[in-house]
Amino acid sequence: MFYRERFGGPCGIHAFWPLMLALDRPDASHHRQEQQMLRNRQPLQHSDPIDTHQKALDVNLDPRRYGTFAEIGAGQEVVRWFFRVGGGAGTIAKSMSAYDMKVSDAIYGRAARYVCRERLQAMLDYEHKLNLDRLSDVRGETTTFFTFADTVSARNYHGTNACHGWMGIKFQAHPQDDDSQIIIHVRMLDDEAALQQEALGIVGVNLVHGAFALHHEPELLVASLLDGLSTSRIEIDMIEFSGIAFRHVDNRLMSLKLVELGLSGAAMFAASGEVLQPSEFFYRKAILVERGSFRPVCNVNLDMLHSAGQQFSKHPNVVGKEVVPVMELTMNNLKAAGEIDLSDFLARADVMAACGMPVMISDYFQYYRLAAYLSRYTKEKIAITMGAGSLLELFDEQYYTGLQGGILESFGRMFKNGLQVYCYPMLDAETGDLMTCDNMKIDPQLQHLFAYLRDCGGIIDVQNYDPACLKVRSRDVLEKIKSGDPAWESMVPEAVTEVIKRKCYFDYEPCEALEGI
């Protein structure tokens, strides 16, 4: 087997030990306790929060755990923790780094990219199967086998690469149990390769320990992933639980948890509920985003995306390219009534899924932050569609008091990469007047800025809209659902009607229930 270490030589781990030891030096009494526990092979008991050293030791001291560590791209940063704390011989069946691409292909099969989910899954499946095939007959009745793997692109010598990686663990929660799995995607934010490797090692230990100690409490597991780190060093923008131990876990809620805890600024999932990793989903695609409350999705929401999408797809830089429409929920919106109502969130997610839409949950209330986030993941055009009322609010200077450059700084950031805003007209229910960019009442001090953005194509009126949709407002639909007025059914897509009725979302009550009142 081929091994290579970042620090050179077959024993490069020793070059890293001084830094690791400086991070966590247990005192003499704790060391004596560890040595005694190593002899007895029983887990340590902790009353205080568990640090990385203790987490790795706890895994090593549990006689049930036995498995493989396979790491590509940043040295063996995770397994070195389990080696250095002691007791690793009882836990580590094999540690390897198929660092060379040809060697990696020979073991796991060819892949289009080496730092991708496909490669990680191949590593997990291959190594875990090896353990089960080789060792089940020998020790399967008392052992829970596992495989930890990661494939990472740490900072290169020139500092020109995207620093990110895929990391996962496939494991048995109990001896002879069916497999369970956790996969995460991380972005490493430190400026130095050594610091990125250190952070990667810590989050890897957190994942391994969490899989064993917290698999029955996945929300706590998610929260534990950045123990010993901060969001300024590591971002986790995707997590997926699968397998028997997580058969009751809704990965959409886990995506929400990532953003709620600040582990990521945004998370995504598909209409099927499958978790999406933004850099892979948006790769080489043009993006069209609609922000809303979607309580519920109404005809006007779909018409806004459809009509804006028609115009956007005709842009010279978009013609012939794939455009992905996305519905975005912000944390501000989800927390509008205080704490997040999980049942309300799932209701919204289900009606968006009924429309076949991928969903983004973001903590980017300011549009310029959303624009910057999306620009990370594609070099293609990005567009946002919004109603005329929302566009008018965009020119309200009170939202930019926290920026030194005020509204000018915000708009400079928002439109700097050629982003476009498609303005959907708004009908005044009382007067019947239609608000568009042509008659929008912008603050006189900002009219020149507004005119400039229109002239350069940054703000565009939506043209081919459905006039029948202009009278539809989600808050009116919600009121009609709650009051039992069947008129709401004509205001939403048929698939949304079916979901709301079947699951009694948004306080919907079947006719039979209303008749009995």
Side-chain angles (χ1 to χ4, degrees):
M1 193 63 64
F2 181 85
Y3 294 85
R4 183 184 296 176
E5 289 290 339
R6 173 74 63 180
F7 296 96
C11 299
I13 185 173
H14 298 294
F16 200 70
W17 273 10
L19 175 60
M20 300 295 282
L21 291 171
L23 291 172
D24 183 11
R25 295 182 184 275
D27 59 29
S29 61
H30 189 76
H31 178 73
R32 287 192 296 272
Q33 183 189 14
E34 288 177 4
Q35 296 305 308
Q36 180 61 46
M37 299 303 268
L38 280 171
R39 287 190 287 272
N40 297 333
R41 292 288 295 169
Q42 294 293 328
L44 284 168
Q45 301 298 316
H46 302 289
S47 57
D48 299 324
I50 308 176
D51 63 16
T52 312
H53 182 104
Q54 292 169 334
K55 284 186 177 184
L57 186 62
D58 276 358
V59 173
N60 280 356
L61 293 177
D62 190 332
R64 295 169 297 171
R65 315 301 180 191
Y66 196 66
T68 292
F69 291 81
E71 304 183 66
I72 298 176
Q76 294 188 284
E77 307 308 322
V78 178
V79 75
R80 83 173 70 242
W81 275 102
F82 294 91
F83 278 127
R84 68 174 286 264
V85 299
T91 300
I92 304 167
K94 180 176 69 177
S95 167
M96 62 172 293
S97 178
Y99 199 81
D100 184 272
M101 291 180 181
K102 292 182 180 179
V103 174
S104 182
D105 284 345
I107 299 171
Y108 304 118
R110 293 186 62 83
R113 288 183 286 168
Y114 290 90
V115 183
C116 67
R117 179 170 178 166
E118 178 188 3
R119 171 57 86 201
L120 176 71
Q121 192 64 62
M123 295 168 70
L124 290 170
D125 292 344
Y126 179 86
E127 298 295 348
H128 192 61
K129 185 176 185 301
L130 275 185
N131 284 336
L132 294 178
D133 290 346
R134 292 171 174 174
L135 302 172
S136 290
D137 291 343
V138 178
R139 55 184 297 174
E141 292 185 2
T142 58
T143 300
T144 58
F145 296 105
F146 72 91
T147 291
F148 170 88
D150 62 47
T151 175
V152 180
S153 175
R155 189 181 190 276
N156 63 22
Y157 181 77
H158 300 287
T160 56
N161 61 316
C163 302
H164 72 111
W166 289 88
M167 181 180 289
I169 183 169
K170 193 167 189 175
F171 67 101
Q172 296 173 316
H174 307 284
Q176 298 184 327
D177 203 0
D178 290 338
D179 296 330
S180 301
Q181 181 174 279
I182 310 169
I183 287 178
I184 66 175
H185 180 267
V186 302
R187 293 181 65 240
M188 296 167 288
L189 308 179
D190 287 309
D191 293 330
E192 299 177 20
L195 292 176
Q196 291 182 0
Q197 292 162 347
E198 173 200 325
L200 190 73
I202 294 172
V203 74
V205 173
N206 290 340
L207 177 58
V208 174
H209 181 270
F212 297 144
L214 299 172
H215 61 265
H216 55 294
E217 296 180 283
E219 288 194 359
L220 293 182
L221 192 159
V222 172
S224 75
L225 289 176
L226 286 194
D227 285 354
L229 295 167
S230 70
T231 53
S232 65
R233 299 192 64 191
I234 285 283
E235 178 182 288
I236 301 173
D237 60 7
M238 178 267 184
I239 187 166
E240 181 185 76
F241 296 86
S242 61
I244 190 169
F246 306 118
R247 58 193 179 277
H248 301 304
V249 172
D250 190 322
N251 280 306
R252 297 173 301 176
L253 291 177
M254 297 301 104
S255 296
L256 174 64
K257 199 69 180 176
L258 287 179
V259 183
E260 183 183 9
L261 293 172
L263 275 70
S264 177
M268 295 186 65
F269 52 86
S272 63
E274 176 190 359
V275 178
L276 300 173
Q277 201 285 311
S279 63
E280 295 203 340
F281 180 71
F282 289 135
Y283 185 64
R284 292 185 175 178
K285 297 183 181 78
I287 305 170
L288 176 62
V289 178
E290 178 184 359
R291 173 176 290 181
S293 64
F294 306 113
R295 299 186 74 237
V297 175
C298 304
N299 292 335
V300 66
N301 296 121
L302 292 189
D303 190 55
M304 191 179 297
L305 274 175
H306 176 71
S307 53
Q310 282 186 323
Q311 287 177 244
F312 183 48
S313 62
K314 294 176 182 177
H315 189 282
N317 294 335
V318 180
V319 172
K321 297 178 180 178
E322 183 179 358
V323 177
V324 289
V326 177
M327 288 182 167
E328 182 212 12
L329 281 167
T330 66
M331 293 301 292
N332 280 55
N333 189 283
L334 290 169
K335 291 182 175 180
E339 294 298 315
I340 295 176
D341 183 336
L342 296 183
S343 61
D344 173 69
F345 166 74
L346 289 176
R348 300 197 223 185
D350 278 350
V351 295
M352 286 186 275
C355 299
M357 289 294 165
V359 178
M360 174 186 290
I361 311 158
S362 90
D363 201 22
Y364 301 128
F365 173 70
Q366 299 91 347
Y367 277 105
Y368 70 84
R369 296 183 64 212
L370 174 64
Y373 172 79
L374 295 174
S375 295
R376 287 185 201 164
Y377 301 120
T378 185
K379 294 181 180 179
E380 303 299 336
K381 291 283 291 182
I382 298 170
I384 298 172
T385 182
M386 63 180 72
S390 297
L391 181 59
L392 192 60
E393 285 188 355
L394 198 63
F395 280 83
D396 190 335
E397 292 192 274
Q398 69 170 322
Y399 295 117
Y400 310 107
T401 54
L403 287 177
Q404 189 173 2
I407 192 171
L408 290 177
E409 180 180 345
S410 171
F411 279 24
R413 294 186 186 184
M414 180 173 171
F415 291 98
K416 73 172 184 178
N417 293 317
L419 178 139
Q420 292 181 299
V421 171
Y422 286 86
C423 176
Y424 192 86
M426 186 175 75
L427 184 68
D428 189 312
E430 296 182 0
T431 65
D433 294 336
L434 197 65
M435 183 195 297
T436 67
C437 290
D438 290 332
N439 61 6
M440 192 174 292
K441 295 180 180 178
I442 300 293
D443 187 314
Q445 296 182 6
L446 300 174
Q447 284 180 352
H448 289 297
L449 174 60
F450 182 68
Y452 168 76
L453 290 171
R454 290 197 68 192
D455 290 343
C456 70
I459 297 176
I460 302 169
D461 266 316
V462 170
Q463 300 295 334
N464 298 320
Y465 57 87
D466 182 355
C469 292
L470 296 178
K471 297 180 181 180
V472 178
R473 288 186 173 86
S474 60
R475 61 177 177 270
D476 296 334
V477 175
L478 203 58
E479 286 297 324
K480 292 180 185 299
I481 293 173
K482 291 179 179 180
S483 65
D485 183 347
W488 69 270
E489 296 182 33
S490 64
M491 298 176 165
V492 304
E494 186 177 339
V496 172
T497 301
E498 191 277 328
V499 169
I500 292 174
K501 285 185 168 183
R502 177 164 49 87
K503 298 192 175 182
C504 295
Y505 283 150
F506 307 115
D507 297 327
Y508 170 79
E509 292 191 34
C511 294
E512 310 84 69
L514 293 173
E515 289 173 359
I517 295 177

